[in-house]
Structures are given as C-alpha cells and as structure tokens.
Amino acid sequence: MDFGRQPLSDAFREPTDTSEEFFYRLAVGSCPDCQMVQLMEEVPRERMFHEGYPYYSSGSTVMRAHFEETARKLLAEHLTGPDPFVVELGCNDGVMLETVARAGVRHLGMEPSGAVSEVARSKGVRVRNAFFEKETALRVREEDGPADVVYAANTFCHIPYVDSVLEGIGALLAPGGVFVFEDPYFGDVSDKASFDQFYDEHFFLFTATSVRNMARRFGLDLVDVERLPTHGGELRYTLAREGARPPSEAVAAILAEEEKRDLTSPEALRAFGDRVRGNCDRLVEELRSLRDQGKRVVGYGATAKSATVLNFCGIDSGLLEFVCDTTPAKQGRLTPGSGVRVLGHEAFTASYPDHALLLAWNHAEEIMAKEVGFREAGGRWIHYVPDVRIV
C-alpha cells in the first residue's frame, strides 16, 4: 500500500519557518518468504532521532505505570548472578530504567536523542548517547561485560538495520541472557485498520512469525510472547540464543493463530488496504459535513501517527481549527505537512469545541477519564479506529 508523500512525523515546524519541508514516500510491503511487513523506503535515522526529538515516554500516566511494572518483571524473572546488567535500547527519558536504577542494578540506556537522555540522567539513569548497533554493542561488552537483559520498547521496530542490531545483541548477551522487546503488533493493526501505525519511525510492523524467522537468521529464537494493550495493541517478544531455553506454549499458540488467519497473504493485505481507504473517505466526508454545518472541530493529540492520517486523508486547517497537545515542544508549531496549529490543552478547555477528532486514540481510556468536562458540555468525539463514528 502506498500512502504517498509524507513528512517526518515529529517535525513540528515554527509558523515562520519557510524552509523546504522534508518529504519521503511512505509505502508498505510484505515479504512472501519471511512474512515481514515493513516500509519500502528508509528515512535517515539522524532526521528522526536528534537533539530536539519531542516525544517523552513519561508523558502518559498509564505508560509510566506500564514501564514501572515492566522493570519489576524484568528484575524478578531474568536477572541471575551477583552483579546483573540490564541494557535498554532507546531508553528515552529513563522511565523504565529509573526503577532498575533505584533497585541498585547495573544498567545502561542507549539513547541517541540528546534532550530526552538528559531527563533520564536527572533521574539517576546511566545513559550513552549513541545508536545501538554491532560496533557499539561490542564496546559496551568490553567496558561493562555481558548483559542479562537487553530491553527495548517501541524502539526495535524503528530500526531498519536489524542485521547489525541482532549481531550486536548476540555479542552482548550473556549465555543465558534474553532480548525482550515490545512493539505494535500487525495482527492488531489489521483487526483495527489502524493505518496510522505506519509512519517514518515504524519501519517494521512485526508478527510472531516474522520475528521468529528474523531471529533465527542470527542464532536467536523466539521463546516467549505476551499480548499488551499499550499503544493500540502490542506484543512483547522474548528472544534467547537458539537452544538456550524451550519456547513457551504461548509461542506455539500465537504462531498457529497467525497461520490460521493468514495475516500477510496478498488477499488479506488487499482487504486491509480497501478498508483503510474506505475509512479515510468516510472520515473526510464527516469532517466536511461538520464544517458545512458550522461546527467547531479540533484535533486531540499531536501524535507522530497523526501525520499519516492528516496527510493521507488530506485533513488540514480547513477542517480542523487546531490540534491540542500537552507537549510544550509541540505547542505553537504546525503539524507536519498538514500545517494545522498545535495549541496547549488550555485552548481545548477554555472554549470547548463541538467535536474533537481523537488522534491519540491509543490513549482513549486515559483521555476519556480526563475530559469529563468536554462530555458534560455536550462535546462529541470523532473516532476513526477501527471505523469512523461519532460518540
């Protein structure tokens, strides 16, 4: 499926910025051999992950609790020996490793984005500003010894050069160590027609089948999976050296489920594409109808994934008055490509609109609990996942 020319999803520009905006071709393909679903063109990593990277993992109360629980689970289940060592790829603002650090466990966060890594350091987290690949993994092994756990959340799917990363994982892990990562699950994307999970940072949309096929090319195997409700539906995968531990029953179950569903067959993917295009057409039709009725409509959540929705569907400031967001780094700027103003949350509450397009749909439960005033004022939410509806 080809989503056409798309901007960098986190490139929120100043209104006075007249420089040429960077665009790339967002096209998605599937490999008939290993069943990997992925982008067909790579965006240079330095354009996405840099000093001004605006996403902070601690911004959501739900996600903070999730990462604290994850840290406790990793510490309880996977650390052995007198001096265990935990490495996180893309540690962001240290929300997970903060718990590891408080437990007194040796750790290292690999984080190329400067601003968020400084926040992590302020929490007592040890951080190395670098992209993780084989070369950096070898340096970490030499300086710190083998890792009991290498962990990544919403990071591994961002990395096109998986060969170097998995070779680095193999070099860094202790003999009984594990690589645990969680990323959006293509099975959920397919179920929900959540096409906005495709954007520049999400290079891969994994399934258990494609992860096992990938891992085995590098001497690793899929030994456990766990379903997660976070970010619209994710899987947590656990890889270990081939033969180091038997795969769990959960692995066999999900592999059988995926084979039965035939998730990545050409027929299934074409049906997915037809559903996406239909949802997009209905969303634009609804927004135009509300505009013609004189209704005020704003966007809620200037998320990275919203770049795909706004640009693929052609939604701009003619259909949305503004997009509200709590991230200071995005406020006062324009949404990538579509050029809609991003204002702080106070702009939403100061004068409630008639309708709000829920761009941060993966945080719907948290948002609905927070925005009681909007509902009581008669406000209505516009959803587009899994289909277009007003509630």
Side-chain angles (χ1 to χ4, degrees):
M1 186 165 183
D2 194 335
F3 291 93
R5 294 176 71 251
Q6 290 280 341
L8 296 174
S9 60
D10 270 317
F12 292 84
R13 293 156 61 90
E14 294 281 1
T16 55
D17 187 350
T18 58
S19 62
E20 186 176 355
E21 193 165 6
F22 177 84
F23 285 86
Y24 70 102
R25 177 177 174 241
L26 178 60
V28 184
S30 173
C31 174
D33 295 325
C34 71
Q35 298 185 41
M36 185 68 77
V37 175
Q38 68 176 74
L39 302 193
M40 302 304 291
E41 295 187 10
E42 176 185 348
V43 175
R45 63 188 187 180
E46 293 80 6
R47 283 190 174 271
M48 296 183 287
F49 309 111
H50 46 72
E51 185 68 29
Y53 186 63
Y55 179 76
Y56 288 77
S57 299
S58 297
S60 162
T61 302
V62 170
M63 292 310 297
R64 285 200 302 274
H66 168 76
F67 286 122
E68 288 172 8
E69 179 184 350
T70 298
R72 289 192 290 268
K73 181 179 176 74
L74 294 176
L75 292 172
E77 296 181 2
H78 295 298
L79 300 195
T80 59
D83 187 25
F85 181 41
V86 177
V87 176
E88 182 177 8
L89 315 187
C91 70
N92 197 263
D93 60 12
V95 64
M96 193 285 289
L97 284 180
E98 182 180 9
T99 300
V100 176
R102 284 201 303 265
V105 173
R106 275 197 314 131
H107 64 275
L108 178 66
M110 303 291 292
E111 177 53 62
S113 303
V116 293
S117 66
E118 287 305 313
V119 176
R121 289 190 179 95
S122 73
K123 299 175 180 178
V125 173
R126 179 172 166 242
V127 182
R128 181 192 291 254
N129 288 121
F131 289 100
F132 184 89
E133 49 202 338
K134 185 177 181 180
E135 182 182 349
T136 50
L138 290 170
R139 286 203 297 268
V140 172
R141 172 77 186 232
E142 182 180 354
E143 295 170 12
D144 294 286
D148 298 82
V149 176
V150 177
Y151 172 74
N154 308 299
T155 298
F156 189 47
C157 73
H158 295 184
I159 306 174
Y161 48 96
V162 289
D163 50 352
S164 182
V165 173
L166 289 173
E167 287 169 357
I169 297 289
L172 180 57
L173 280 182
V178 292
F179 175 35
V180 181
F181 64 98
E182 54 197 68
D183 280 305
Y185 177 47
F186 183 68
D188 287 307
V189 173
S190 178
D191 287 342
K192 300 174 182 178
S194 50
F195 66 95
D196 54 357
Q197 293 282 21
F198 295 112
Y199 58 97
D200 52 355
E201 294 177 12
H202 284 182
F203 191 81
F204 295 106
L205 265 292
F206 295 125
T207 62
T209 303
S210 63
V211 165
R212 185 182 65 165
N213 290 338
M214 172 180 62
R216 286 180 170 178
R217 297 182 182 214
F218 298 92
L220 301 169
D221 201 6
L222 178 64
V223 297
D224 201 12
V225 292
E226 180 183 357
R227 292 184 183 274
L228 302 174
T230 49
H231 290 299
E234 297 192 313
L235 280 190
R236 177 180 289 157
Y237 306 89
T238 301
L239 304 185
R241 298 186 190 280
E242 279 193 285
R245 60 177 72 188
S248 69
E249 292 181 1
V251 172
I254 197 164
L255 291 173
E257 177 188 322
E258 289 180 356
E259 184 177 9
K260 182 178 179 180
R261 292 183 61 187
D262 206 12
L263 275 174
T264 60
S265 69
E267 295 76 18
L269 295 173
R270 278 195 291 268
F272 171 79
D274 291 342
R275 188 177 171 198
V276 165
R277 283 182 282 269
N279 279 358
C280 183
D281 291 343
R282 284 189 290 276
L283 177 59
V284 172
E285 182 181 340
E286 195 66 63
L287 292 174
R288 287 173 177 167
S289 175
L290 292 171
R291 177 196 61 190
D292 294 344
Q293 295 172 47
K295 302 291 187 181
R296 291 183 61 223
V297 183
V298 307
Y300 194 104
T303 60
K305 60 171 60 72
S306 68
T308 300
V309 179
L310 299 183
N311 287 279
F312 180 58
C313 298
I315 299 169
D316 57 18
S317 56
L319 294 174
L320 294 180
E321 185 178 325
F322 62 86
V323 175
C324 83
D325 196 275
T326 57
T327 308
K330 298 178 183 179
Q331 293 167 7
R333 295 175 177 256
L334 302 177
T335 57
S338 50
V340 182
R341 294 181 302 158
V342 179
L343 302 179
H345 182 256
E346 63 278 3
F348 181 74
T349 57
S351 176
Y352 284 124
D354 300 298
H355 293 74
L357 175 61
L358 187 58
L359 297 167
W361 59 266
N362 51 308
H363 296 294
E365 186 175 344
E366 184 177 356
I367 291 169
M368 297 302 168
K370 173 183 176 182
E371 299 298 353
V372 176
F374 176 57
R375 184 176 67 247
E376 292 179 343
R380 306 184 75 186
W381 293 100
I382 305 172
H383 295 256
Y384 58 91
V385 172
D387 47 37
V388 178
R389 65 200 189 281
I390 296 181
V391 298

